Amino acid sequence: MTTSSQTRTAELLAIEDTWGAHNYHPLPIVVAHAQGAWVTDVEGRRYLDCLSAYSALNQGHVHPAILKVFIEQASRVTLTSRAFRNDQLPLFCQDLAAICRLDVVLPMNSGAEAVETAIKAARQWGYARKGIPDGAAEIIVCGGNFHGRTTTIIGFSSDEDYKRGFGPFTPGFVSVPYGDLAALEAAITPNTCAFLFEPIQCEGGILMPPAGFLRAAADVCRDRRVLLVADEIQTGLGRTGAWFACDHEDVQPDLYILGKALSGGFYPVSACVGRREVMELFTPGSHGSTFGGNPLGAAVARAALQVLRDEQLIERSAKLGQVLLDALRTIESPVIQAIRGIGLLAGIELREPARAYCERLLERGVLCKETHERVIRLAPPLVIEETDLLWMVDQVREVLTAPVRNA
Ligand SMILES: *Cc1c(COP(=O)(O)O)cnc(C)c1O
């Protein structure tokens, strides 16, 4: 990689590092254009995007059908606030509720806001419908979770890096080991209103619970009158080869939390989608967002969902995901500890830090990012060509079969 002081890359890196907060540790590539699964940097080099903005780009970069709607809507009306109605939100809600097999949609912007919305929804259901004493509601969460970055959400994270220096935190959360059914059952009390979980822990390192766990957890929650709240912000909308990762075990949550690919990467759109019995407890003034449900976001999200259907990207994810896993499993390398995945979501767990390998993949034109220190996450746009996918696996093979010299 050439980042001599003359390059535009080096210049932009220096400006950003001076004027921008350092809350990320990005790879040293500065993207200027993108199309489909490919991005081009400011030096004109092309890379295959195998991160997809943490699965916000399932439909690929700058999808032409979404772009068309985006431009049309942006030139008509972008924001009304919820003080007035707009002609896009109703259709978005109707569409998304049907996809989720649920009744009511509450639109927000970022994923974390949708998680916060689900927390509020679950708590107020607990008080109004389950009879939990005021202020005593408990939500069970999982060790190793990632649900976003607000102060409430990081408070129930088990990752010290997310929390250090940001306390005090919101009470009312109880953590159980991920995938541990007995621990979940034991943690439920009369004050438990919800079980909040990721069907696959992506930030946690592409961790999957034992087969049958989701099904069993859903049954336990139903028996004990605990809301099942699935954070599918990263796993939903085709990433795992199904509309939702919960579908793999025929689980229907009471609340879905969605974001990321909901808008195909054009615009932040998230939503908390739930059963009427829960969502009807929101009343005017109880919750809101200035930009949530705006007509530009709603139009873009509908177009993004339509692309998933029109291009059969869910089926494509399942099919290419199998190709990806089969190909990855042919790599013989002493640094590989485990390979996990489903659909176009794969994690290669290494026996050593993954960062240096991601830097080497960058040099070879493959963009990916280490997660949880020792895992390389591979999650390309679902529109990726099979030949590109196999080329990528070849790059991964090359990199993993030549040892990294850490200086
Ligand atoms: C990305 C993510 C979030 C947070 O979404 P933001 O849009 O970054 O706030 C929450 N939960 C999961 C599972 C995620 O992957």
Side-chain angles (χ1 to χ4, degrees):
M1 187 179 11
T2 50
T3 47
S4 78
S5 58
Q6 276 78 18
T7 64
R8 186 72 183 134
T9 297
E11 244 174 85
L12 290 167
L13 251 58
I15 295 171
E16 182 172 322
D17 286 347
T18 304
W19 299 99
H22 295 188
N23 57 325
Y24 277 90
H25 182 32
L27 289 167
I29 167 186
V30 180
V31 175
H33 306 272
Q35 187 59 236
W38 290 87
V39 307
T40 307
D41 75 0
V42 290
E43 317 294 341
R45 291 176 295 223
R46 294 181 79 226
Y47 303 81
L48 186 63
D49 184 352
C50 292
L51 180 66
S52 308
Y54 304 94
S55 294
L57 291 160
N58 286 2
Q59 298 88 341
H61 288 271
V62 197
H63 191 288
I66 310 175
L67 176 64
K68 184 161 170 284
V69 169
F70 181 82
I71 291 170
E72 272 173 21
Q73 187 61 44
S75 55
R76 204 167 336 129
V77 57
T78 55
L79 181 64
T80 54
S81 85
R82 298 289 300 277
F84 313 115
R85 296 183 188 244
N86 70 70
D87 63 0
Q88 296 301 314
L89 178 60
L91 307 176
F92 166 61
C93 291
Q94 182 179 41
D95 203 10
L96 187 59
I99 285 171
C100 297
R101 298 173 302 260
L102 288 167
D103 308 313
V104 176
V105 173
L106 199 161
M108 298 294 282
N109 313 283
S110 69
E113 287 173 301
V115 173
E116 291 274 356
T117 303
I119 291 168
K120 284 180 162 183
R123 284 179 170 180
Q124 76 179 340
W125 174 86
Y127 299 127
R129 294 283 185 266
K130 195 172 171 176
I132 296 172
D134 197 30
E138 291 164 5
I139 294 176
I140 300 175
V141 299
C142 300
N145 71 70
F146 180 82
H147 295 287
R149 300 293 198 162
T150 67
T151 45
T152 287
I153 293 170
I154 59 168
F156 58 81
S157 165
S158 46
D159 190 328
E160 268 310 309
D161 288 346
Y162 296 166
K163 307 171 76 153
R164 199 176 306 111
F166 298 135
F169 299 117
T170 314
F173 299 92
V174 176
S175 186
V176 298
Y178 187 56
D180 186 336
L181 188 68
L184 169 64
E185 283 192 88
I188 295 174
T189 75
N191 291 341
T192 305
C193 62
F195 173 47
L196 169 64
F197 67 100
E198 300 155 87
I200 297 170
Q201 289 188 334
C202 297
E203 297 313 301
I206 320 295
L207 299 179
M208 308 198 198
F213 170 78
L214 294 183
R215 179 69 265 157
D219 293 342
V220 165
C221 288
R222 197 133 306 147
D223 286 352
R224 307 282 298 271
R225 246 187 126 206
V226 170
L227 296 177
L228 195 64
V229 183
D231 180 345
E232 293 238 22
I233 289 172
Q234 192 160 159
T235 51
L237 306 179
R239 174 53 57 192
T240 71
W243 273 96
F244 304 103
C246 284
D247 294 342
H248 294 296
E249 294 204 352
D250 263 322
V251 163
Q252 175 63 55
D254 299 299
L255 295 178
Y256 266 129
I257 307 169
L258 300 173
K260 296 206 164 109
L262 189 50
S263 56
F266 276 81
Y267 195 89
V269 178
S270 67
C272 173
V273 188
R275 290 202 290 118
R276 190 168 305 281
E277 178 198 333
V278 181
M279 300 301 286
E280 71 186 4
L281 296 168
F282 284 113
T283 52
S286 65
H287 191 50
S289 160
T290 303
F291 279 82
N294 72 75
L296 180 57
V300 160
R302 274 182 75 214
L305 293 170
Q306 194 58 41
V307 164
L308 293 176
R309 281 184 292 239
D310 285 349
E311 300 188 7
Q312 281 138 36
L313 293 182
I314 315 299
E315 295 79 0
R316 189 182 174 83
S317 172
K319 181 173 154 281
L320 290 183
Q322 198 55 56
V323 171
L324 173 62
L325 267 187
D326 289 347
L328 287 175
R329 292 201 164 119
T330 67
I331 300 177
E332 284 175 30
S333 161
V335 289
I336 296 180
Q337 168 135 356
I339 294 175
R340 295 183 286 270
I342 182 167
L344 279 173
L345 176 66
I348 308 174
E349 184 172 341
L350 305 183
R351 297 183 206 279
E352 47 188 89
R355 175 80 184 191
Y357 292 98
C358 293
E359 286 168 358
R360 283 181 158 199
L361 283 166
L362 176 71
E363 288 170 29
R364 289 174 167 272
V366 173
L367 293 188
C368 62
K369 190 73 167 58
E370 76 279 6
T371 174
H372 250 245
E373 186 81 23
R374 290 189 298 110
V375 179
I376 301 176
R377 166 180 19 203
L378 297 171
L382 310 184
V383 297
I384 190 173
E385 295 295 337
E386 184 167 341
T387 47
D388 290 340
L389 193 68
L390 293 173
W391 172 80
M392 177 267 278
V393 174
D394 286 339
Q395 307 315 305
V396 172
R397 186 193 320 276
E398 295 285 323
V399 159
L400 289 182
T401 49
V404 164
R405 287 277 155 270
N406 283 306

